């Protein structure tokens, strides 16, 4: 099988595509023939050895995929061979085959092709639970979404708007804000050219009820300051590359709630909430919701795809098409 390989830590340009032996599933595992794999910012961090959990060299990056079941390991009764599935792993998805525990697979929601299925579950599940399970967002509340044209950000704008929340998008350019408005944002803040705290307060009638932040960096504190009293702040990632240091007196003075959220931990500790979220998202897909996919690359261009994501030149999701030849 063909696979992208990281043999030394560093920028995505160091990745290569090589031939490896076929995989076999072990007990409790499923072999999936990968049709498409989405690029996520943690993939860039893993290649650079900057992620919270290191990946020992050499390894195949890639964390989100869609494909069909090719074989079942010992003790696994399903899903049947040939079934369309999507899943998430820490590494291994940028390859023509991946082995994953059966518990890590989800059926592809009706209406999604393989490219959109690969781009869907991680970001949309993250967005849904950041907004609802963790953020306790409700219809009618003002919700500020940072990085609103990125993978998680665009999903949060889409899901929040469909749930009746009043979403204000924050992004780094007017072009990216236009993308967010098309997904349902009622207003936008260009935090490169505008004061984020001041504009969010103006646009949300005195302060946001909830902030969803997949960006981090210097914008996190400004967004926290834009919360109204008793507001909630959910941190889900650091695409800025800088982990913010928040003065705790702000939390005290605002009576604010600050929560961290990582989708893999939720699957482990709150499986009922995850199942309920899957059902809610599947219903939205049936109603026409689709993830924003801005670029599709063949596996041969995997280094360029990760570089674009690392340098924040993309909107929505970037997907690697494993069926598109070299």
């Amino acid at each position: 099988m063909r696979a992208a390989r990281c043999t030394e830590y560093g920028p995505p340009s160091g990745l290569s595509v090589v031939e490896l032996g076929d995989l076999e599933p072990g007990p409790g595992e499923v072999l999936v023939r990968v049709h498409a794999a989405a690029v996520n910012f943690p993939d860039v961090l893993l290649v650079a050895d900057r992620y919270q959990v290191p990946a020992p060299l050499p390894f195949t990056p890639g964390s989100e995929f869609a494909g069909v079941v090719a074989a079942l390991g010992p003790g696994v009764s399903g899903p049947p061979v040939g079934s369309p599935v999507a899943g998430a792993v820490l590494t291994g998805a940028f390859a023509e085959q991946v082995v994953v525990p059966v518990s890590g697979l989800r059926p592809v929601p009706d209406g999604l092709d393989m490219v959109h299925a690969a781009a869907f579950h991680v970001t949309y599940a993250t967005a849904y639970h950041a907004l609802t399970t963790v953020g306790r967002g409700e219809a009618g509340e003002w919700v500020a979404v940072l990085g609103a044209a990125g993978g998680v950000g665009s999903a949060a704008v889409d899901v929040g708007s469909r749930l009746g929340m009043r979403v204000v998008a924050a992004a780094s350019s007017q072009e990216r804000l236009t993308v967010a408005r098309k997904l349902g944002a009622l207003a936008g803040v260009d935090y490169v050219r505008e004061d984020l705290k001041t504009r969010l307060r103006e646009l949300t009638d005195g302060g946001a009820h909830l902030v969803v932040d997949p960006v981090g960096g210097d914008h996190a504190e400004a967004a926290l300051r834009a919360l109204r009293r008793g507001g909630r702040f959910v941190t889900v990632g650091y695409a800025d590359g800088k982990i913010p240091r928040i003065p705790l007196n702000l939390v005290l003075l605002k009576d604010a709630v600050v929560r961290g959220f990582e989708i893999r931990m939720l699957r482990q500790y709150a499986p009922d909430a995850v199942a309920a979220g899957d059902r809610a998202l599947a219903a939205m897909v049936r109603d026409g919701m689709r993830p924003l996919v801005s670029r599709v690359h063949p596996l041969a261009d995997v280094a360029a795809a990760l570089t674009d994501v690392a340098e924040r030149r993309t909107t929505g999701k970037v997907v690697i098409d494993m069926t598109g030849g070299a």
Side-chain angles (χ1 to χ4, degrees):
M1 68 166 184
R2 294 181 307 144
R5 293 295 275 178
C6 177
T7 56
E8 60 179 330
Y9 298 122
S13 58
L15 295 177
S16 59
V17 177
V18 301
E19 287 285 343
L20 299 176
D22 288 343
L23 303 178
E24 293 187 8
E29 294 179 334
V30 175
L31 175 67
V32 176
R33 186 168 69 254
V34 179
H35 285 208
V39 179
N40 292 291
F41 193 73
D43 302 328
V44 175
L45 298 179
L46 281 160
V47 168
D49 197 24
R50 292 171 48 210
Y51 194 58
Q52 294 95 319
V53 180
L57 296 171
F59 69 94
T60 296
S63 55
E64 187 177 17
F65 63 89
V68 297
V69 174
L72 305 177
V76 179
S77 58
V81 171
S83 301
V85 292
V89 289
L90 181 64
T91 61
F94 296 153
E96 291 176 326
Q97 299 175 355
V98 66
V99 167
V100 61
V102 65
S103 60
L105 294 176
R106 299 286 184 276
V108 172
D110 291 340
L112 294 184
D113 59 26
M114 286 295 181
V115 166
H116 287 87
F120 179 72
H121 188 74
V122 170
T123 47
Y124 270 76
T126 298
Y128 178 87
H129 292 291
L131 289 164
T132 62
T133 308
V134 178
R136 304 295 182 187
E138 297 180 357
E141 288 191 320
W142 285 107
V143 178
V145 177
L146 276 59
V152 171
S154 63
V157 172
D158 195 359
V159 172
S161 300
R162 290 173 184 272
L163 292 175
M165 301 173 193
R166 293 184 287 179
V167 177
V168 176
S172 59
S173 70
Q174 289 298 322
E175 292 78 12
R176 298 175 78 82
L177 290 175
T178 297
V179 171
R181 287 189 179 95
K182 290 179 179 178
L183 291 169
L186 299 180
V189 180
D190 180 344
Y191 47 53
V192 172
R193 296 170 178 82
E194 300 178 273
D195 183 272
L196 180 61
K197 179 191 73 173
T198 301
R199 286 296 290 147
L200 280 180
R201 284 181 174 175
E202 292 172 351
L203 292 168
T204 60
D205 298 330
H209 297 90
L210 171 64
V211 170
V212 175
D213 179 16
V215 178
D218 295 334
H219 304 305
E221 182 177 330
L224 178 63
R225 289 179 181 274
L227 280 176
R228 65 182 61 201
R229 183 171 179 82
R232 292 92 66 200
F233 184 103
V234 181
T235 175
V236 297
Y238 310 104
D240 181 81
K242 178 181 175 183
I243 298 175
R245 297 181 179 273
I246 299 296
L248 282 179
N249 66 309
L250 294 178
V251 180
L252 182 152
L253 293 172
K254 287 184 170 292
D255 192 23
V257 175
V258 178
R259 293 283 304 272
F261 171 60
E262 207 278 331
I263 187 65
R264 290 178 300 163
M265 300 300 290
L266 191 72
R267 291 191 187 105
Q268 182 176 352
Y269 294 111
D272 290 344
V274 170
D278 287 349
R279 292 191 295 270
L281 289 170
M284 293 182 196
V285 170
R286 289 194 295 272
D287 288 341
M289 183 174 72
R290 298 291 183 272
L292 172 63
V293 176
S294 60
R295 299 182 189 178
V296 180
H297 293 268
L299 181 58
D301 291 344
V302 64
L306 266 73
T307 299
D308 285 346
V309 170
E311 297 181 359
R312 301 174 71 181
R313 295 198 294 255
T314 62
T315 56
K317 295 298 286 287
V318 174
V319 175
I320 306 299
D321 181 1
M322 298 297 173
T323 68

